Amino acid sequence: MDRGTRELPGAGTPPAWLRLLPWLTMVLLVVVQLTTPKSVQLGFAFAVVPPLTSLLYGMLGTALVAAAMFGLLLFPVIRADDVTHGDLLAFGLIGVVSVVLAWVRARRDAQLVSVRTVAEAAQLAVLPPMPEWVGPVRCGALYRAAERGTLVGGDLYDVQRGPYGVRAIVADVQGHGLAAVGTVAALLGTFREAVLDEPELAGVAARLDRRLVVDAAGRGDTEVFATAVLMEFPPDGTAVRVLSCGHPAPLLVDGGGAREVELAPGAPLGLGLAEFRAPEPVTVPMRPTDVLLAHTDGVTDARDETGAFYPLAARLGTGTRPASPVELVRAVWRDLSSYAGEVADDVALLALSTPDGHG
């Protein structure tokens, strides 16, 4: 599974060329001071070196640079003529303060790393990596969260093996980012239980709807809803059953291109309807070379610079043999990024196939 994330600002080690900047600045100042007329006094410019260093080095490195700077200023040929001994004391205090700033920055970075590690562990527990195989079904998944620094947003997918075959879900909950993670976790937990208990996909959908309705009532929130597509690969067949609750239809990718699976329309989950009724599943024959590609609307709602929506089915092309599920989702993401540039919404892609001809 591919999971996209971005580094938190302020964390990590600066590149080597940036860490050389304080030393290069000191060398440049020395060279300029020695090669310019006496009327040009640049000694006070050395005062910027220790604070600059505190942004890049820890306490020890900052102290070393500050000590080197102070040592250079002890030579009359380098420091400005009007720099007094009191000014040298001020340079020393600047160095001490810079060391303290480096200590504060290092502690902050350590806290950021700790928070990020805990957040990643929590998010990966909600949406763990997808194995390449779940029973006889080959899987490829890709997730890109819209919110900076997160691994999970408002989209979700899962593939689970149960007594009624291999079942999969792709869903999009209301909202995105960390605010939607609780709803995502609730839906995934309910789906994993329903896979084991419910003999029909309609029963799985009803359990998911009830979970959202109960959660919304408990939180006093009437805006908790989700769209979802459910897929089931029976253990003894060469077809897949698909059911959609207000979600975009998946695509069947074969040697002739890609086409949307024609599904009966269904209401989104969690609307609090008097009686939730899932639509009838549609049975779609699948050959060993076919790939079923489910996605969220973050894919098809992406726009190019002219405002045109991303035409997923058309961009998959015609007359080409579909790749493996993993290669397919990566190819779609590369093409989507090239088409739209910055993708502003959560994106989830799940590709499934049965290479041995059985679900």
Side-chain angles (χ1 to χ4, degrees):
M1 182 194 68
D2 290 328
R3 187 85 61 86
T5 186
R6 303 175 181 91
E7 290 296 328
L8 288 175
T13 303
W17 68 268
L18 195 57
R19 291 174 63 84
L20 290 175
L21 188 58
W23 299 101
L24 296 176
T25 302
M26 277 198 299
V27 171
L28 179 62
L29 288 173
V30 169
V31 171
V32 172
Q33 185 65 55
L34 293 177
T35 57
T36 54
K38 289 290 186 180
S39 58
V40 180
Q41 304 294 338
L42 299 175
F44 289 102
F46 283 90
V48 304
V49 176
L52 174 65
T53 307
S54 68
L55 299 175
L56 305 172
Y57 285 79
M59 290 180 60
L60 182 60
T62 302
L64 182 61
V65 171
M69 180 206 69
F70 191 81
L72 288 173
L73 291 175
L74 293 178
F75 294 94
V77 69
I78 294 177
R79 72 173 183 267
D81 291 341
D82 56 350
V83 174
T84 65
H85 292 291
D87 295 327
L88 288 177
L89 177 60
F91 279 119
L93 290 176
I94 291 174
V96 172
V97 171
S98 298
V99 171
V100 174
L101 290 176
W103 174 74
V104 172
R105 183 194 58 78
R107 287 199 60 181
R108 186 208 63 177
D109 285 355
Q111 290 171 348
L112 283 174
V113 170
S114 177
V115 169
R116 180 176 180 81
T117 301
V118 173
E120 286 185 353
Q123 293 177 69
L124 287 172
V126 172
L127 197 62
M130 178 69 63
E132 188 173 353
W133 291 88
V134 177
V137 177
R138 192 175 184 183
C139 310
L142 183 141
Y143 196 103
R144 292 293 186 274
E147 188 166 312
R148 179 179 176 84
T150 62
L151 300 178
V152 178
D155 294 353
L156 64 97
Y157 52 72
D158 198 13
V159 182
Q160 296 290 327
R161 189 175 189 178
Y164 308 104
V166 176
R167 286 171 169 173
I169 182 174
V170 174
D172 184 356
V173 307
Q174 175 258 344
H176 59 80
L178 293 176
V181 173
T183 306
V184 168
L187 279 179
L188 284 172
T190 303
F191 171 75
R192 290 162 185 166
E193 290 183 358
V195 162
L196 302 176
D197 300 334
E198 296 292 340
E200 300 293 335
L201 278 183
V204 177
R207 291 271 290 267
L208 295 172
D209 177 76
R210 184 178 64 183
R211 176 77 271 164
L212 287 180
V213 171
V214 170
D215 284 358
R219 290 156 46 181
D221 188 353
T222 59
E223 295 296 326
V224 179
F225 63 90
T227 65
V229 60
L230 299 171
M231 295 153 283
E232 178 183 84
F233 294 84
D236 58 351
T238 58
V240 57
R241 289 195 285 267
V242 185
L243 179 156
S244 174
C245 297
H247 197 83
L251 301 178
L252 186 65
V253 185
D254 56 25
R259 60 178 177 84
E260 275 194 358
V261 176
E262 295 184 5
L263 299 176
L269 305 169
L271 294 183
L273 302 177
E275 181 181 359
F276 175 80
R277 187 180 298 276
E280 286 296 321
V282 173
T283 300
V284 181
M286 284 191 67
R287 297 171 298 180
T289 56
D290 294 344
V291 180
L292 188 69
L293 178 64
H295 60 88
T296 56
D297 60 8
V299 177
T300 50
D301 285 351
R303 302 178 184 234
D304 64 7
E305 57 186 10
T306 67
F309 290 105
Y310 179 70
L312 176 59
R315 300 283 288 197
L316 284 173
T318 58
T320 58
R321 184 184 181 88
S324 70
V326 172
E327 293 169 344
L328 179 60
V329 296
R330 289 177 179 173
V332 170
W333 173 252
R334 286 193 300 267
D335 187 60
L336 175 63
S337 301
S338 173
Y339 181 89
E342 184 71 20
V343 180
D345 198 2
D346 298 326
V347 168
L349 292 163
L350 179 64
L352 305 169
S353 68
T354 52
D356 62 356
H358 295 279

